[in-house]
């Protein structure tokens, strides 16, 4: 009743490392667009969920809290730069935790996002390697999985992960130690 609602869909859940806060995607807004919501675990129960401070204006989904709890990555169709037109395909964005809560959303390194493809659902390993799905990155391919290694403060050119999924939709997940 505080997280899952009868009148909406909830998915894409991610917890902070201390398991005291969660982020999830829902279409419970009046526009029925997907946004990211958050709830805290207090006094032995999950509190009513609220719209995350960095979400609510554009299509945002599938938050992923990093292992240190300092960043939340998500995919969004928000406009680039100061443009007012939302993107037609999602890109990966993130917010950083600070003493006031969460920063303004920033787009992840440009080696990962592409203007003509859709990058989405992501997970991170202990060394900050990112695994993510992409559709339209390579001609004639559907949703595929890619990985990009974090080196010297930047992400490497994404590498195709050869997993036969041949699907129109995928939500890949890699464990933090890459054993699965």
């Amino acid at each position: 009743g505080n997280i899952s609602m009868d009148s909406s869909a909830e998915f894409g859940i991610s917890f902070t490392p201390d398991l005291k806060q969660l982020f999830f995607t829902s279409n419970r807004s009046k526009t029925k667009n997907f946004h990211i919501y958050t709830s805290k675990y207090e006094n032995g129960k999950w509190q009513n969920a609220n719209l995350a401070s960095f979400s609510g204006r554009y299509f945002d989904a599938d938050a992923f809290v990093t292992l240190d709890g300092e960043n939340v990555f998500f995919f969004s169709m928000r406009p680039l730069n100061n443009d007012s037109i939302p993107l037609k395909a999602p890109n990966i964005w993130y917010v950083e935790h600070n003493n006031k809560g969460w920063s303004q959303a920033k787009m992840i390194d440009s080696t990962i996002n592409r203007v003509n493809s859709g990058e989405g659902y992501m997970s991170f390993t202990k060394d900050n390697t990112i695994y993510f799905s992409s559709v339209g990155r390579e001609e004639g391919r559907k949703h595929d999985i890619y990985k990009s290694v974090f080196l010297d403060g930047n992400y490497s050119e994404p590498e195709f992960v050869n997993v036969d999924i041949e699907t129109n939709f995928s939500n890949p997940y890699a464990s933090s130690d890459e054993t699965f």
Side-chain angles (χ1 to χ4, degrees):
N2 291 340
I3 308 299
S4 297
M5 310 297 276
D6 291 336
S7 60
S8 59
E10 289 78 30
F11 58 91
I13 194 169
S14 185
F15 293 86
T16 56
D18 64 3
L19 302 176
K20 300 281 184 184
Q21 186 173 9
L22 60 80
F23 294 87
F24 64 95
T25 306
S26 181
N27 63 344
R28 62 180 66 180
S29 71
K30 291 178 184 174
T31 65
K32 291 296 181 186
N33 205 0
F34 287 106
H35 301 299
I36 297 171
Y37 290 79
T38 186
S39 176
K40 292 187 177 183
Y41 191 76
E42 296 172 343
N43 303 319
K45 68 177 190 168
W46 289 103
Q47 303 303 302
N48 287 332
N50 294 304
L51 195 60
S53 63
F54 54 87
S55 188
R57 187 167 178 195
Y58 303 103
F59 177 99
D60 298 323
D62 290 340
F64 185 91
V65 180
T66 55
L67 297 173
D68 61 8
E70 293 299 312
N71 298 292
V72 176
F73 285 80
F74 58 98
F75 70 85
S76 178
M77 294 172 70
R78 59 186 64 211
L80 303 176
N81 306 317
N82 293 323
D83 194 358
S84 61
I85 301 169
L87 296 173
K88 292 180 180 172
N91 277 217
I92 299 173
W93 296 72
Y94 70 99
V95 292
E96 299 168 308
H97 192 262
N98 58 41
N99 58 358
K100 295 179 182 176
W102 297 101
S103 70
Q104 292 291 323
K106 301 172 191 172
M107 192 179 329
I108 197 170
D109 192 307
S110 62
T111 58
I112 294 173
N113 289 319
R114 298 271 171 90
V115 174
N116 296 323
S117 61
E119 282 66 46
Y121 194 86
M122 72 296 307
S123 60
F124 291 82
T125 65
K126 288 181 203 172
D127 66 359
N128 288 322
T129 295
I130 181 174
Y131 283 82
F132 64 96
S133 68
S134 182
V135 63
R137 193 172 194 90
E138 295 180 37
E139 183 138 350
R141 306 271 325 170
K142 295 182 180 182
H143 256 99
D144 288 308
I145 301 171
Y146 291 83
K147 83 177 209 175
S148 179
V149 178
F150 192 68
L151 297 169
D152 300 323
N154 295 301
Y155 284 98
S156 65
E157 186 64 31
E159 304 169 38
F160 173 73
V161 177
N162 193 8
V163 177
D164 185 19
I165 56 173
E166 281 304 307
T167 182
N168 290 322
F169 186 78
S170 68
N171 285 2
Y173 176 82
S175 64
S176 64
D177 62 2
E178 294 184 89
T179 56
F180 66 89

